[in-house]
């Protein structure tokens, strides 16, 4: 590896490790990227790379802790052999990533996440949304299970995903670095619901066994990944909740009409609390320190004081209650009423129902983002969004909706209990699975409709979750992330710190892997990097080369190439014809109607090259007064 400095930055300190080491602004950054599974050889395409930045103070040598570095990886495209083109290309791309505009993304983003889909068969699909939802599908991995999954829980500290498999009587352990099953743990009879206690010490699995002696919860030690005990609690399906300090676990017993209180340290049942005829769901509020249990048959929410371990109140609603979830701030408990087509809002401070929100077509599931409650309905493809800021006594709840497909979930038949909506951290975006049409929809809060969707070929997703893949401080001053190298070639690795201010571009390479089968596409494309910026409303001459992948030479004489471009994440799609201007260089004149980030795709129908087959290009349109002409060769 070698170090490539940003164009306007001072050179790094030269020493024996100068190809991996940067000294600037009082800090030392040491960069490395190595294969996770095959340490003995060089990094190749298809490998999971362990990317690390070790940050220390230049003067003292002490690790720099608690910072939030950013890192991006992209192919180092250089269209012309210009002096300094490597550095300028990388720096220009970094400036676009830092705009914070949805859609202006690199090939690999170490500040992002994966979308994980639980399929109707014995498999899990892992999707990179930064590629997929931009118009180019990319299944990062497919994980095969022993039997179909029912529910899952993430352990973010150990980067593991646990999946219950009722027909196998086991929980699959999946490493989220490479999404491979590393083990299957015995989890009792008919394991369905799974929950990780707040301190992440134990996993709890609800066993929906037919016989009373086998019906309860299995506890798994997350350190040893071995069963730590079984507690018989009662008959029926089990939901699980915990106090914030992980001292007590609460397990509902649907057929017995009780909630069992369990001492976590001893893993023994303390008592059963009767909550009604049919307790369907329960959740804990960290604000009120109370447990809320919804009874579907009686239509009552039982409030349990978790200090006294006794019933504190019973709040009467209407029969038909289903899932209950406390808002992220603990202020309200929302409970769907499938029979009455509404959501009841319970104030956790007063233990009173303060609102009823009409939701049509049999609501059955609630998921939260930071600002909304997303409510799914069995009989409608539309997802309702309740604005959390509009909850409270005397207020009128604000409700919007959007369509996730055209078919209601009930048409899918066998649904799972895991959530079909998942929010992406800090982005204001959610992913919605429609099990009836087999698609996953990408929705940005504030839009009228999802911007795009993704289909898993050969499978139909039933649930979705998000796995964070951003850089983490794995030891003092060491910030690490893992990515799979998608293609061979040279990569720019952009690294950024806000305090102290530091922006730098490292360089690395992934070698071609002879074990990876590949079929060369008839074309490759290289865009002119000088066309990264344009004035909104002004014409832009966008230039690119079409390359023969076998010879790596420009390919002339293509007559039917066209360009598709649109405002991220999928609005205002337009097409433009392409003309050859000489030596395999082609030009399309596009006009970006408004400021924002744009995707550009090239297609050649005569070679069966649709818009999704070639790598896309991203560019930024800025207000006309702020940008000079971006036509290549003019400034």
């Amino acid at each position: 590896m070698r170090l490539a400095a940003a164009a306007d930055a001072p050179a790094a300190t030269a020493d024996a490790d100068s190809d991996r080491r940067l000294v600037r602004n009082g800090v030392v950054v040491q960069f490395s990227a190595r294969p996770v599974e095959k340490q003995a050889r060089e990094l190749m395409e298809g490998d999971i790379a362990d990317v690390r930045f070790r940050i220390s103070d230049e003067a003292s040598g002490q690790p720099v802790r608690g910072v939030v570095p950013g890192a991006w990886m992209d192919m180092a495209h250089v269209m012309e052999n210009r002096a300094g083109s490597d550095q300028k290309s990388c720096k220009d791309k970094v400036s676009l990533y830092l705009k914070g505009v949805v859609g202006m993304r690199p090939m690999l983003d170490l500040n992002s996440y994966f979308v994980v889909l639980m399929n109707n068969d014995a498999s899990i699909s892992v999707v990179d949304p930064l590629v997929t939802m931009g118009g180019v599908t990319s299944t990062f991995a497919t994980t095969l299970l022993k039997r179909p999954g029912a529910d899952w829980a993430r352990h973010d500290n150990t980067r593991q995903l646990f999946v219950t498999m009722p027909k196998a009587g086991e929980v699959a352990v999946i490493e989220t670095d490479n999404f491979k099953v590393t083990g299957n743990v015995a989890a009792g009879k008919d394991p369905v619901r799974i929950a990780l206690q707040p301190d992440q010490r134990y996993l709890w699995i609800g066993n929906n066994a037919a016989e009373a002696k086998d019906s309860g919860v299995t506890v798994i030690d997350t350190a040893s990944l071995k069963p730590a005990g079984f507690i018989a609690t009662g008959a029926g399906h089990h939901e699980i909740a915990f106090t914030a300090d992980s001292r007590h676990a609460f397990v509902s017993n649907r057929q017995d009409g009780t909630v069992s209180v369990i001492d976590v340290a001893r893993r023994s049942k303390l008592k059963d609390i009767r909550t009604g005829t049919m307790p369907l769901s329960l959740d804990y509020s960290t604000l009120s320190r109370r447990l809320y249990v919804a009874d579907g048959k009686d239509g009552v929410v039982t409030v349990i004081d978790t200090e006294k371990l006794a019933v504190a109140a019973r709040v009467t609603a209407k029969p038909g209650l289903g899932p209950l979830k406390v808002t992220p701030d603990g202020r309200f408990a929302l409970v769907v009423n499938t029979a009455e087509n509404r959501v009841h809002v319970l104030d956790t401070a007063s233990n009173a129902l303060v609102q009823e929100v009409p939701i049509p077509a049999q609501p059955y599931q609630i998921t939260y983002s930071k600002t909304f409650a997303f409510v799914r309905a069995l009989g409608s493809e539309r997802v309702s969004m309740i604005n959390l800021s509009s909850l409270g006594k005397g207020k009128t709840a604000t409700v919007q909706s959007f369509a996730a497909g055209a078919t209601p979930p009930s048409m899918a038949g066998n649904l799972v209990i895991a959530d079909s909506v998942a929010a992406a951290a800090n982005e204001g975006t959610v992913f919605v699975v429609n099990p009836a049409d087999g698609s996953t929809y990408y929705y940005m809060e504030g839009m009228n409709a999802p911007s795009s969707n993704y289909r898993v070929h050969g499978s139909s997703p039933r649930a979705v979750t998000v796995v964070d893949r951003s850089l983490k401080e794995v030891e003092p001053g060491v910030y690490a992330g893992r990515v799979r190298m998608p293609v061979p070639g040279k990569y720019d690795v952009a690294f950024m710190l806000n305090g102290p201010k530091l922006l730098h571009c490292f360089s690395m390479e992934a070698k071609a892997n002879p074990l990876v089968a590949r079929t060369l596409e008839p074309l490759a494309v290289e865009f002119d990097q000088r066309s990264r910026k344009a004035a909104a409303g002004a014409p832009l001459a966008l230039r690119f080369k079409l390359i023969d992948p076998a010879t790596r030479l420009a390919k002339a004489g293509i007559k039917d190439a066209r360009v598709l471009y649109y405002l991220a994440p999928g609005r205002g799609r337009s097409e433009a014809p392409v003309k050859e201007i000489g030596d395999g260089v082609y030009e399309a004149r596009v006009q970006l109607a408004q400021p924002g980030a744009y995707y550009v795709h090239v297609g050649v129908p005569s070679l069966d090259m649709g818009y999704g087959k070639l790598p896309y290009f991203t560019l930024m349109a800025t207000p006309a007064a702020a940008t000079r002409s971006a036509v290549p060769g003019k400034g």
Side-chain angles (χ1 to χ4, degrees):
M1 296 182 187
R2 68 174 180 81
L3 189 68
D8 61 349
T13 297
D15 59 24
D17 297 322
S18 62
D19 61 337
R20 300 179 181 180
R21 189 169 185 263
L22 169 74
V23 180
R24 188 178 301 153
N25 295 343
V27 297
V28 179
V29 181
Q30 292 177 291
F31 164 68
S32 66
R34 300 184 179 89
V36 171
E37 297 182 352
K38 300 162 186 172
Q39 301 289 346
R41 64 165 176 78
E42 59 191 350
L43 185 65
M44 292 187 176
E45 64 174 312
D47 284 346
I48 300 292
D50 182 22
V51 178
R52 294 191 172 219
F53 300 91
R54 184 180 296 274
I55 308 173
S56 58
D57 180 78
E58 181 184 7
S60 66
Q62 293 299 308
V64 176
R65 305 197 62 179
V67 296
V68 185
W72 304 262
M73 297 172 63
D74 211 345
M75 298 303 294
H77 294 298
V78 181
M79 193 165 187
E80 298 177 8
N81 293 323
R82 305 185 301 274
S85 55
D86 283 13
Q87 294 92 329
K88 184 176 186 300
S89 173
C90 180
K91 185 185 176 187
D92 286 347
K93 284 187 282 189
V94 171
S95 69
L96 294 175
Y97 306 153
L98 297 180
K99 295 289 184 181
V101 179
V102 174
M104 190 59 62
R105 300 299 180 86
M107 179 175 285
L108 298 170
D109 191 333
L110 278 77
N111 318 285
S112 193
Y113 53 87
F114 288 114
V115 177
V116 185
L117 306 173
M118 182 187 293
N119 297 320
N120 61 336
D121 56 14
S123 72
I124 286 172
S125 298
V126 185
V127 179
D128 183 347
L130 305 183
V131 178
T132 301
M133 301 305 172
V136 182
T137 58
S138 174
T139 301
F140 181 83
T142 299
T143 305
L144 299 180
L145 306 174
K146 275 189 176 182
R147 303 299 292 270
D151 193 22
W152 48 18
R154 299 190 317 272
H155 193 313
D156 293 330
N157 288 350
T158 61
R159 299 183 180 183
Q160 291 172 313
L161 180 68
F162 303 97
V163 185
T164 56
M165 300 177 292
K167 293 182 179 179
E170 294 177 331
V171 169
V173 182
I174 300 172
E175 297 291 338
T176 57
D177 287 331
N178 54 20
F179 290 98
K180 292 183 179 179
V181 176
T182 57
N184 294 287
V185 183
K189 292 186 178 180
D190 200 12
V192 180
R193 180 63 85 187
I194 186 170
L196 182 65
Q197 65 187 52
D199 65 6
Q200 304 188 334
R201 181 68 176 86
Y202 294 111
L203 271 172
W204 296 70
I205 296 94
N207 297 112
N208 294 0
E211 296 186 24
K213 66 181 180 65
D214 300 318
S215 182
V217 284
T218 295
V219 185
I220 294 176
D221 187 321
T222 59
S224 65
L225 294 180
K226 294 181 179 180
F230 169 78
I231 304 144
T233 60
H237 173 77
H238 308 287
E239 293 290 316
I240 306 165
F242 310 94
T243 52
D245 59 5
S246 298
R247 181 183 176 187
H248 291 122
F250 301 92
V251 180
S252 64
N253 308 297
R254 184 172 298 182
Q255 292 181 20
D256 282 357
T258 60
V259 168
S260 297
V261 182
I262 297 173
D263 183 310
V264 170
R266 296 180 180 179
R267 295 182 297 285
S268 62
K269 185 167 72 171
L270 298 177
K271 62 188 298 187
D272 291 323
I273 300 175
R274 182 155 297 280
T275 59
T277 306
M278 187 182 292
L280 287 180
S281 59
L282 74 170
D283 202 3
Y284 173 80
S285 168
T286 56
L287 187 64
S288 68
R289 298 182 181 179
R290 294 186 174 186
L291 185 78
Y292 300 86
V293 186
D295 190 284
K297 189 171 183 179
D298 297 343
V300 171
V301 176
T302 300
V303 183
I304 296 175
D305 186 321
T306 60
E307 296 293 330
K308 299 178 180 179
L309 301 180
V311 173
R314 298 188 189 274
V315 184
T316 302
K318 294 181 180 179
L321 298 184
L324 176 151
K325 284 193 176 181
V326 173
T327 55
D329 62 1
R331 185 69 179 82
F332 299 98
L334 272 60
V335 54
V336 300
N337 193 318
T338 305
E340 297 289 331
N341 291 323
R342 63 190 63 249
V343 170
H344 302 282
V345 180
L346 188 150
D347 188 323
T348 61
S350 62
N351 290 332
L353 294 176
V354 294
Q355 287 168 297
E356 289 191 356
V357 185
I359 303 291
Q362 297 180 290
Y364 76 102
Q365 197 174 75
I366 296 177
T367 307
Y368 292 113
S369 69
K370 290 184 177 180
T371 51
F372 289 95
F374 293 84
V375 184
R376 298 300 307 274
L378 289 170
S380 174
E381 73 282 1
R382 300 196 69 82
V383 180
S384 297
M385 301 167 55
I386 303 174
N387 193 317
L388 297 181
S389 65
S390 67
L391 298 181
K393 186 175 182 179
K395 294 183 178 181
T396 300
T398 302
V399 184
Q400 303 165 271
S401 69
F402 62 90
T407 309
S410 59
M411 298 299 292
N414 57 326
L415 301 177
V416 297
I417 62 171
D419 288 341
S420 61
V421 178
N426 303 319
E427 282 216 358
T429 60
V430 293
F431 298 90
V432 182
V433 163
N434 188 329
D437 65 16
S439 293
T440 302
Y441 295 86
Y442 170 79
Y443 175 78
M444 292 181 61
E445 292 177 2
M447 296 184 66
N448 294 324
S451 61
S452 55
N453 66 80
Y454 175 77
R455 181 179 291 271
V456 178
H457 297 290
S459 299
S460 180
R462 291 293 189 264
V464 60
T465 190
V466 172
V467 172
D468 187 10
R469 68 174 183 182
S470 59
L471 292 173
K472 296 291 190 299
E473 188 173 8
V474 295
E475 57 184 85
V478 178
Y479 301 84
R482 291 185 175 181
V483 295
R484 186 178 69 178
M485 307 310 299
V487 294
K490 177 179 155 187
Y491 288 80
D492 287 327
V493 182
F495 176 80
M496 184 198 72
L497 273 181
N498 280 326
K501 290 286 186 182
L502 191 151
L503 172 61
H504 199 83
C505 293
F506 295 90
S507 182
M508 61 170 287
E509 187 174 3
K511 298 292 186 180
N513 190 340
L515 300 179
V516 175
R518 59 173 56 79
T519 301
L520 288 179
E521 296 286 1
L523 280 180
V525 62
E526 290 181 355
F527 288 92
D528 189 334
Q529 298 294 314
R530 293 172 297 178
S531 301
R532 281 288 186 182
K533 292 185 179 180
L540 168 69
L542 182 67
R543 292 181 181 178
F544 54 89
K545 283 185 179 180
L546 294 176
I547 307 294
D548 184 333
T551 65
R552 297 304 302 167
L553 298 176
K555 192 166 184 174
I558 295 175
K559 303 297 185 183
D560 63 334
R562 292 186 65 81
V563 159
L564 169 71
Y565 60 100
Y566 52 88
L567 183 65
R571 296 167 286 164
R573 294 177 179 250
S574 301
E575 288 188 284
V578 172
K579 68 177 181 178
E580 186 176 4
I581 61 175
D583 298 325
V585 177
Y586 297 81
E587 180 181 277
R589 298 194 72 84
V590 302
Q591 189 158 337
L592 311 180
Q594 63 188 71
Y598 284 80
Y599 284 109
V600 179
H601 295 268
V602 175
V604 183
S606 62
L607 296 177
D608 194 28
M609 300 294 292
Y611 287 126
K613 285 195 173 182
L614 290 169
Y616 60 87
F617 184 68
T618 54
L619 54 89
M620 175 70 70
T622 56
T627 308
R628 294 182 298 168
S629 173
V631 177
K634 297 184 180 180

